[in-house]
Short mmCIF file of all heavy atoms in Angstrom, two decimals:
data_model
loop_
_atom_site.label_atom_id
_atom_site.label_comp_id
_atom_site.label_asym_id
_atom_site.label_seq_id
_atom_site.Cartn_x
_atom_site.Cartn_y
_atom_site.Cartn_z
N VAL A 299 5.10 -13.24 -7.88
CA VAL A 299 5.43 -12.15 -8.81
C VAL A 299 6.85 -12.31 -9.26
O VAL A 299 7.14 -12.22 -10.45
CB VAL A 299 5.17 -10.81 -8.20
CG1 VAL A 299 5.57 -9.71 -9.12
CG2 VAL A 299 3.70 -10.64 -7.84
N ASP A 300 7.76 -12.51 -8.34
CA ASP A 300 9.20 -12.63 -8.67
C ASP A 300 9.44 -13.82 -9.64
O ASP A 300 10.19 -13.64 -10.55
CB ASP A 300 10.03 -12.86 -7.37
CG ASP A 300 9.98 -11.64 -6.45
OD1 ASP A 300 9.70 -10.57 -6.93
OD2 ASP A 300 10.26 -11.86 -5.27
N ASP A 301 8.78 -14.95 -9.36
CA ASP A 301 9.00 -16.08 -10.20
C ASP A 301 8.45 -15.81 -11.66
O ASP A 301 9.11 -16.18 -12.65
CB ASP A 301 8.24 -17.32 -9.65
CG ASP A 301 8.83 -17.81 -8.37
OD1 ASP A 301 10.05 -17.52 -8.13
OD2 ASP A 301 8.17 -18.55 -7.60
N PHE A 302 7.32 -15.09 -11.76
CA PHE A 302 6.75 -14.81 -13.06
C PHE A 302 7.61 -13.88 -13.82
O PHE A 302 7.84 -14.03 -15.03
CB PHE A 302 5.32 -14.31 -12.87
CG PHE A 302 4.57 -14.09 -14.17
CD1 PHE A 302 3.83 -15.19 -14.69
CD2 PHE A 302 4.57 -12.91 -14.87
CE1 PHE A 302 3.11 -15.02 -15.91
CE2 PHE A 302 3.87 -12.77 -16.06
CZ PHE A 302 3.13 -13.85 -16.56
N ILE A 303 8.09 -12.82 -13.19
CA ILE A 303 8.89 -11.76 -13.86
C ILE A 303 10.21 -12.34 -14.30
O ILE A 303 10.79 -11.89 -15.29
CB ILE A 303 9.03 -10.58 -12.93
CG1 ILE A 303 7.66 -9.88 -12.75
CG2 ILE A 303 10.08 -9.56 -13.46
CD1 ILE A 303 7.71 -8.72 -11.78
N SER A 304 10.74 -13.39 -13.59
CA SER A 304 12.02 -13.97 -14.03
C SER A 304 11.91 -14.75 -15.28
O SER A 304 12.90 -15.08 -15.87
CB SER A 304 12.52 -14.88 -12.90
OG SER A 304 11.71 -15.93 -12.72
N MET A 305 10.65 -15.04 -15.73
CA MET A 305 10.48 -15.83 -16.96
C MET A 305 10.69 -14.90 -18.16
O MET A 305 10.52 -13.72 -18.13
CB MET A 305 9.03 -16.38 -17.03
CG MET A 305 8.74 -17.34 -15.95
SD MET A 305 6.99 -17.89 -16.13
CE MET A 305 6.74 -18.92 -14.71
N SER A 306 11.02 -15.52 -19.32
CA SER A 306 11.06 -14.78 -20.55
C SER A 306 9.61 -14.53 -21.04
O SER A 306 8.66 -15.19 -20.56
CB SER A 306 11.74 -15.63 -21.61
OG SER A 306 11.01 -16.78 -21.96
N PRO A 307 9.42 -13.51 -21.89
CA PRO A 307 8.06 -13.25 -22.38
C PRO A 307 7.42 -14.49 -23.03
O PRO A 307 6.17 -14.67 -22.91
CB PRO A 307 8.28 -12.16 -23.47
CG PRO A 307 9.51 -11.46 -22.97
CD PRO A 307 10.34 -12.53 -22.40
N GLU A 308 8.21 -15.32 -23.69
CA GLU A 308 7.67 -16.58 -24.31
C GLU A 308 7.20 -17.51 -23.21
O GLU A 308 6.11 -18.13 -23.35
CB GLU A 308 8.73 -17.26 -25.16
CG GLU A 308 9.17 -16.46 -26.41
CD GLU A 308 10.10 -15.30 -26.09
OE1 GLU A 308 10.69 -15.30 -24.96
OE2 GLU A 308 10.21 -14.40 -26.97
N GLU A 309 7.96 -17.64 -22.11
CA GLU A 309 7.55 -18.52 -21.03
C GLU A 309 6.30 -17.95 -20.34
O GLU A 309 5.41 -18.75 -19.94
CB GLU A 309 8.69 -18.66 -19.99
CG GLU A 309 9.84 -19.44 -20.54
CD GLU A 309 11.05 -19.44 -19.62
OE1 GLU A 309 11.28 -18.38 -18.93
OE2 GLU A 309 11.75 -20.45 -19.48
N GLN A 310 6.25 -16.64 -20.17
CA GLN A 310 5.06 -16.07 -19.51
C GLN A 310 3.81 -16.31 -20.29
O GLN A 310 2.69 -16.49 -19.71
CB GLN A 310 5.24 -14.50 -19.41
CG GLN A 310 6.36 -14.12 -18.40
CD GLN A 310 6.58 -12.60 -18.36
OE1 GLN A 310 5.90 -11.84 -19.12
NE2 GLN A 310 7.52 -12.19 -17.52
N ASN A 311 3.91 -16.44 -21.61
CA ASN A 311 2.72 -16.66 -22.43
C ASN A 311 2.24 -18.13 -22.35
O ASN A 311 1.17 -18.43 -22.80
CB ASN A 311 3.02 -16.32 -23.90
CG ASN A 311 2.53 -14.95 -24.22
OD1 ASN A 311 1.38 -14.63 -24.07
ND2 ASN A 311 3.44 -14.10 -24.70
N THR A 312 3.06 -18.98 -21.74
CA THR A 312 2.67 -20.43 -21.69
C THR A 312 1.96 -20.71 -20.36
O THR A 312 1.30 -21.75 -20.22
CB THR A 312 3.92 -21.33 -21.76
OG1 THR A 312 4.76 -21.13 -20.64
CG2 THR A 312 4.65 -21.08 -23.07
N VAL A 313 2.04 -19.82 -19.36
CA VAL A 313 1.35 -20.09 -18.12
C VAL A 313 -0.12 -19.84 -18.24
O VAL A 313 -0.54 -19.06 -19.14
CB VAL A 313 1.98 -19.25 -16.95
CG1 VAL A 313 3.47 -19.46 -16.84
CG2 VAL A 313 1.69 -17.78 -17.17
N PRO A 314 -0.93 -20.46 -17.40
CA PRO A 314 -2.39 -20.22 -17.49
C PRO A 314 -2.69 -18.70 -17.28
O PRO A 314 -2.03 -18.02 -16.50
CB PRO A 314 -2.94 -21.10 -16.35
CG PRO A 314 -1.96 -22.12 -16.15
CD PRO A 314 -0.58 -21.47 -16.42
N LEU A 315 -3.70 -18.23 -17.94
CA LEU A 315 -4.14 -16.86 -17.75
C LEU A 315 -4.47 -16.55 -16.33
O LEU A 315 -4.24 -15.45 -15.84
CB LEU A 315 -5.34 -16.55 -18.68
CG LEU A 315 -5.88 -15.09 -18.59
CD1 LEU A 315 -4.78 -14.08 -18.99
CD2 LEU A 315 -7.11 -14.93 -19.48
N SER A 316 -5.03 -17.54 -15.65
CA SER A 316 -5.42 -17.32 -14.23
C SER A 316 -4.20 -17.00 -13.37
O SER A 316 -4.26 -16.15 -12.48
CB SER A 316 -6.09 -18.56 -13.67
OG SER A 316 -5.30 -19.69 -13.80
N THR A 317 -3.04 -17.55 -13.75
CA THR A 317 -1.80 -17.29 -13.00
C THR A 317 -1.35 -15.80 -13.28
O THR A 317 -0.99 -15.11 -12.35
CB THR A 317 -0.66 -18.25 -13.42
OG1 THR A 317 -1.06 -19.57 -13.09
CG2 THR A 317 0.61 -17.94 -12.67
N LEU A 318 -1.41 -15.44 -14.54
CA LEU A 318 -1.10 -14.00 -14.86
C LEU A 318 -1.99 -13.06 -14.10
O LEU A 318 -1.53 -12.06 -13.56
CB LEU A 318 -1.21 -13.81 -16.37
CG LEU A 318 -1.09 -12.36 -16.82
CD1 LEU A 318 0.22 -11.77 -16.50
CD2 LEU A 318 -1.39 -12.25 -18.35
N LEU A 319 -3.26 -13.35 -14.05
CA LEU A 319 -4.16 -12.43 -13.41
C LEU A 319 -3.91 -12.37 -11.88
O LEU A 319 -4.10 -11.34 -11.28
CB LEU A 319 -5.67 -12.88 -13.67
CG LEU A 319 -6.05 -12.81 -15.15
CD1 LEU A 319 -7.48 -13.33 -15.32
CD2 LEU A 319 -5.95 -11.34 -15.66
N GLU A 320 -3.50 -13.50 -11.31
CA GLU A 320 -3.12 -13.50 -9.86
C GLU A 320 -1.92 -12.60 -9.70
O GLU A 320 -1.82 -11.81 -8.72
CB GLU A 320 -2.86 -14.92 -9.40
CG GLU A 320 -4.06 -15.80 -9.18
CD GLU A 320 -3.64 -17.25 -8.82
OE1 GLU A 320 -2.45 -17.47 -8.53
OE2 GLU A 320 -4.60 -18.08 -8.75
N VAL A 321 -0.93 -12.74 -10.61
CA VAL A 321 0.31 -11.95 -10.50
C VAL A 321 0.01 -10.49 -10.60
O VAL A 321 0.45 -9.66 -9.75
CB VAL A 321 1.29 -12.36 -11.60
CG1 VAL A 321 2.46 -11.40 -11.68
CG2 VAL A 321 1.86 -13.75 -11.24
N VAL A 322 -0.77 -10.07 -11.61
CA VAL A 322 -1.04 -8.63 -11.80
C VAL A 322 -1.92 -8.12 -10.71
O VAL A 322 -1.83 -6.90 -10.32
CB VAL A 322 -1.62 -8.32 -13.16
CG1 VAL A 322 -0.63 -8.69 -14.29
CG2 VAL A 322 -2.93 -8.99 -13.39
N ASN A 323 -2.74 -8.92 -10.11
CA ASN A 323 -3.56 -8.48 -9.02
C ASN A 323 -2.66 -8.16 -7.80
O ASN A 323 -2.93 -7.19 -7.05
CB ASN A 323 -4.63 -9.54 -8.64
CG ASN A 323 -5.57 -9.06 -7.54
OD1 ASN A 323 -6.22 -8.03 -7.69
ND2 ASN A 323 -5.60 -9.79 -6.46
N THR A 324 -1.66 -9.05 -7.56
CA THR A 324 -0.73 -8.70 -6.53
C THR A 324 0.07 -7.42 -6.82
O THR A 324 0.35 -6.64 -5.88
CB THR A 324 0.28 -9.90 -6.30
OG1 THR A 324 -0.47 -11.11 -6.02
CG2 THR A 324 1.29 -9.65 -5.18
N VAL A 325 0.52 -7.28 -8.03
CA VAL A 325 1.23 -6.06 -8.41
C VAL A 325 0.33 -4.82 -8.19
O VAL A 325 0.78 -3.81 -7.72
CB VAL A 325 1.67 -6.12 -9.93
CG1 VAL A 325 2.19 -4.79 -10.39
CG2 VAL A 325 2.72 -7.23 -10.08
N ARG A 326 -0.90 -4.90 -8.55
CA ARG A 326 -1.84 -3.75 -8.31
C ARG A 326 -2.02 -3.50 -6.84
O ARG A 326 -2.12 -2.34 -6.42
CB ARG A 326 -3.18 -4.07 -8.97
CG ARG A 326 -4.07 -2.79 -9.12
CD ARG A 326 -5.24 -3.07 -10.01
NE ARG A 326 -6.23 -3.84 -9.40
CZ ARG A 326 -7.27 -3.37 -8.68
NH1 ARG A 326 -7.37 -2.03 -8.50
NH2 ARG A 326 -8.13 -4.18 -8.18
N SER A 327 -2.01 -4.57 -6.02
CA SER A 327 -2.13 -4.41 -4.55
C SER A 327 -0.93 -3.65 -4.03
O SER A 327 -1.01 -2.82 -3.15
CB SER A 327 -2.25 -5.73 -3.85
OG SER A 327 -3.50 -6.42 -4.25
N PHE A 328 0.30 -3.99 -4.56
CA PHE A 328 1.47 -3.17 -4.23
C PHE A 328 1.24 -1.74 -4.56
O PHE A 328 1.55 -0.82 -3.76
CB PHE A 328 2.72 -3.70 -4.92
CG PHE A 328 3.39 -4.77 -4.18
CD1 PHE A 328 3.33 -6.13 -4.63
CD2 PHE A 328 4.17 -4.52 -3.09
CE1 PHE A 328 4.02 -7.15 -3.94
CE2 PHE A 328 4.81 -5.50 -2.39
CZ PHE A 328 4.77 -6.84 -2.87
N GLY A 329 0.77 -1.47 -5.76
CA GLY A 329 0.53 -0.09 -6.23
C GLY A 329 -0.46 0.60 -5.30
O GLY A 329 -0.26 1.77 -4.90
N ASN A 330 -1.53 -0.10 -4.97
CA ASN A 330 -2.55 0.51 -4.04
C ASN A 330 -1.93 0.81 -2.68
O ASN A 330 -2.27 1.84 -2.10
CB ASN A 330 -3.73 -0.44 -3.88
CG ASN A 330 -4.53 -0.62 -5.19
OD1 ASN A 330 -4.38 0.15 -6.11
ND2 ASN A 330 -5.31 -1.68 -5.26
N ARG A 331 -1.08 -0.03 -2.20
CA ARG A 331 -0.39 0.19 -0.93
C ARG A 331 0.41 1.43 -0.98
O ARG A 331 0.39 2.31 -0.10
CB ARG A 331 0.40 -1.04 -0.51
CG ARG A 331 1.17 -0.87 0.79
CD ARG A 331 0.26 -0.72 1.98
NE ARG A 331 -0.61 -1.92 2.16
CZ ARG A 331 -1.51 -2.00 3.14
NH1 ARG A 331 -1.70 -0.96 3.96
NH2 ARG A 331 -2.23 -3.05 3.26
N TYR A 332 1.21 1.54 -2.03
CA TYR A 332 2.05 2.75 -2.23
C TYR A 332 1.17 4.02 -2.36
O TYR A 332 1.45 5.08 -1.85
CB TYR A 332 2.98 2.65 -3.45
CG TYR A 332 4.13 1.73 -3.22
CD1 TYR A 332 4.41 0.71 -4.11
CD2 TYR A 332 4.99 1.89 -2.16
CE1 TYR A 332 5.48 -0.13 -3.96
CE2 TYR A 332 6.08 1.08 -1.96
CZ TYR A 332 6.31 0.06 -2.84
OH TYR A 332 7.42 -0.74 -2.65
N PHE A 333 0.09 3.87 -3.10
CA PHE A 333 -0.83 5.04 -3.31
C PHE A 333 -1.39 5.48 -1.97
O PHE A 333 -1.44 6.72 -1.69
CB PHE A 333 -2.00 4.63 -4.26
CG PHE A 333 -2.93 5.77 -4.59
CD1 PHE A 333 -2.63 6.56 -5.74
CD2 PHE A 333 -3.99 6.09 -3.82
CE1 PHE A 333 -3.47 7.61 -6.08
CE2 PHE A 333 -4.81 7.16 -4.11
CZ PHE A 333 -4.55 7.92 -5.27
N ASN A 334 -1.84 4.54 -1.16
CA ASN A 334 -2.34 4.94 0.16
C ASN A 334 -1.30 5.56 1.09
O ASN A 334 -1.64 6.33 1.97
CB ASN A 334 -2.95 3.70 0.85
CG ASN A 334 -4.20 3.19 0.12
OD1 ASN A 334 -4.87 3.96 -0.55
ND2 ASN A 334 -4.51 1.90 0.26
N MET A 335 -0.06 5.24 0.81
CA MET A 335 1.07 5.91 1.56
C MET A 335 1.50 7.22 0.89
O MET A 335 2.46 7.80 1.34
CB MET A 335 2.23 4.92 1.64
CG MET A 335 1.95 3.68 2.38
SD MET A 335 3.23 2.38 2.16
CE MET A 335 4.60 3.13 2.91
N ARG A 336 0.77 7.60 -0.15
CA ARG A 336 1.10 8.84 -0.91
C ARG A 336 2.46 8.82 -1.60
O ARG A 336 3.03 9.85 -1.90
CB ARG A 336 0.97 10.07 0.00
CG ARG A 336 -0.43 10.24 0.58
CD ARG A 336 -0.54 11.52 1.46
NE ARG A 336 -1.88 11.61 1.99
CZ ARG A 336 -2.29 12.60 2.82
NH1 ARG A 336 -1.41 13.56 3.06
NH2 ARG A 336 -3.47 12.62 3.28
N ARG A 337 2.90 7.59 -1.88
CA ARG A 337 4.15 7.45 -2.64
C ARG A 337 3.74 7.17 -4.05
O ARG A 337 3.76 6.03 -4.59
CB ARG A 337 4.98 6.25 -2.07
CG ARG A 337 5.50 6.57 -0.68
CD ARG A 337 6.09 5.34 0.00
NE ARG A 337 7.17 4.71 -0.76
CZ ARG A 337 7.83 3.64 -0.34
NH1 ARG A 337 7.51 3.09 0.84
NH2 ARG A 337 8.79 3.13 -1.05
N TYR A 338 3.28 8.27 -4.72
CA TYR A 338 2.60 8.15 -6.02
C TYR A 338 3.52 7.68 -7.14
O TYR A 338 3.07 6.96 -8.06
CB TYR A 338 1.94 9.49 -6.39
CG TYR A 338 0.91 9.93 -5.37
CD1 TYR A 338 1.02 11.14 -4.73
CD2 TYR A 338 -0.11 9.10 -5.00
CE1 TYR A 338 0.06 11.55 -3.80
CE2 TYR A 338 -1.06 9.44 -4.02
CZ TYR A 338 -0.95 10.70 -3.42
OH TYR A 338 -1.91 11.09 -2.50
N ASP A 339 4.77 8.08 -7.10
CA ASP A 339 5.68 7.55 -8.16
C ASP A 339 5.91 6.08 -8.06
O ASP A 339 5.94 5.39 -9.07
CB ASP A 339 7.03 8.33 -8.04
CG ASP A 339 7.00 9.71 -8.72
OD1 ASP A 339 6.51 9.78 -9.82
OD2 ASP A 339 7.47 10.66 -8.08
N ASN A 340 6.02 5.56 -6.83
CA ASN A 340 6.11 4.15 -6.64
C ASN A 340 4.88 3.41 -7.07
O ASN A 340 4.95 2.39 -7.75
CB ASN A 340 6.46 3.79 -5.17
CG ASN A 340 7.77 4.30 -4.75
OD1 ASN A 340 7.87 5.12 -3.85
ND2 ASN A 340 8.88 3.85 -5.34
N ALA A 341 3.72 3.97 -6.76
CA ALA A 341 2.42 3.41 -7.17
C ALA A 341 2.32 3.34 -8.75
O ALA A 341 1.97 2.35 -9.30
CB ALA A 341 1.30 4.23 -6.60
N LYS A 342 2.71 4.45 -9.36
CA LYS A 342 2.69 4.54 -10.82
C LYS A 342 3.57 3.44 -11.45
O LYS A 342 3.15 2.79 -12.41
CB LYS A 342 3.17 5.96 -11.25
CG LYS A 342 3.19 6.10 -12.75
CD LYS A 342 4.06 7.32 -13.15
CE LYS A 342 5.50 7.04 -12.82
NZ LYS A 342 6.43 8.17 -13.24
N ASP A 343 4.75 3.24 -10.87
CA ASP A 343 5.63 2.18 -11.44
C ASP A 343 5.04 0.78 -11.32
O ASP A 343 5.17 0.01 -12.27
CB ASP A 343 6.97 2.24 -10.68
CG ASP A 343 7.80 3.49 -11.00
OD1 ASP A 343 7.50 4.16 -11.97
OD2 ASP A 343 8.73 3.80 -10.19
N ARG A 344 4.38 0.54 -10.20
CA ARG A 344 3.73 -0.78 -10.04
C ARG A 344 2.57 -0.91 -11.03
O ARG A 344 2.40 -2.03 -11.62
CB ARG A 344 3.23 -0.93 -8.61
CG ARG A 344 4.36 -1.15 -7.59
CD ARG A 344 5.05 -2.46 -7.79
NE ARG A 344 6.03 -2.78 -6.73
CZ ARG A 344 6.61 -3.93 -6.56
NH1 ARG A 344 6.27 -4.93 -7.33
NH2 ARG A 344 7.45 -4.14 -5.56
N TYR A 345 1.76 0.14 -11.18
CA TYR A 345 0.64 0.02 -12.11
C TYR A 345 1.11 -0.18 -13.51
O TYR A 345 0.53 -0.97 -14.32
CB TYR A 345 -0.23 1.29 -12.01
CG TYR A 345 -0.92 1.49 -10.65
CD1 TYR A 345 -1.09 2.77 -10.17
CD2 TYR A 345 -1.44 0.43 -9.94
CE1 TYR A 345 -1.73 2.98 -8.92
CE2 TYR A 345 -2.06 0.61 -8.70
CZ TYR A 345 -2.24 1.90 -8.22
OH TYR A 345 -2.81 2.09 -7.00
N LYS A 346 2.20 0.54 -13.88
CA LYS A 346 2.72 0.36 -15.23
C LYS A 346 3.30 -1.02 -15.49
O LYS A 346 3.19 -1.58 -16.56
CB LYS A 346 3.81 1.44 -15.54
CG LYS A 346 3.24 2.81 -15.81
CD LYS A 346 4.35 3.70 -16.30
CE LYS A 346 3.77 5.02 -16.85
NZ LYS A 346 4.77 5.93 -17.40
N GLN A 347 3.89 -1.56 -14.41
CA GLN A 347 4.44 -2.96 -14.49
C GLN A 347 3.29 -3.93 -14.78
O GLN A 347 3.39 -4.81 -15.65
CB GLN A 347 5.10 -3.32 -13.18
CG GLN A 347 5.70 -4.70 -13.17
CD GLN A 347 6.27 -5.09 -11.81
OE1 GLN A 347 5.75 -4.76 -10.79
NE2 GLN A 347 7.46 -5.71 -11.82
N GLY A 348 2.18 -3.81 -14.03
CA GLY A 348 1.08 -4.75 -14.25
C GLY A 348 0.48 -4.51 -15.65
O GLY A 348 0.10 -5.50 -16.31
N MET A 349 0.37 -3.29 -16.11
CA MET A 349 -0.19 -2.96 -17.44
C MET A 349 0.70 -3.62 -18.50
O MET A 349 0.23 -4.16 -19.48
CB MET A 349 -0.23 -1.44 -17.61
CG MET A 349 -0.85 -0.99 -18.89
SD MET A 349 -0.84 0.83 -18.99
CE MET A 349 0.93 1.12 -19.13
N MET A 350 2.07 -3.51 -18.33
CA MET A 350 2.93 -4.09 -19.26
C MET A 350 2.83 -5.63 -19.34
O MET A 350 2.81 -6.21 -20.41
CB MET A 350 4.37 -3.76 -18.91
CG MET A 350 5.46 -4.31 -19.82
SD MET A 350 7.12 -4.14 -19.21
CE MET A 350 7.08 -5.32 -17.81
#
Side-chain angles (χ1 to χ4, degrees):
V299 175
D300 295 338
D301 292 341
F302 188 85
I303 292 174
S304 67
M305 299 178 184
S306 67
E308 293 76 18
E309 290 173 326
Q310 290 176 0
N311 263 304
T312 64
V313 303
L315 178 60
S316 58
T317 300
L318 170 62
L319 295 178
E320 287 176 7
V321 167
V322 297
N323 185 57
T324 301
V325 170
R326 195 167 74 89
S327 295
F328 271 108
N330 293 344
R331 178 62 64 182
Y332 285 129
F333 185 92
N334 292 334
M335 296 167 66
R336 300 183 181 180
R337 293 170 58 179
Y338 300 125
D339 279 313
N340 295 118
K342 179 196 67 177
D343 291 343
R344 289 293 188 168
Y345 295 144
K346 282 191 170 182
Q347 181 186 40
M349 185 181 69
M350 180 192 70

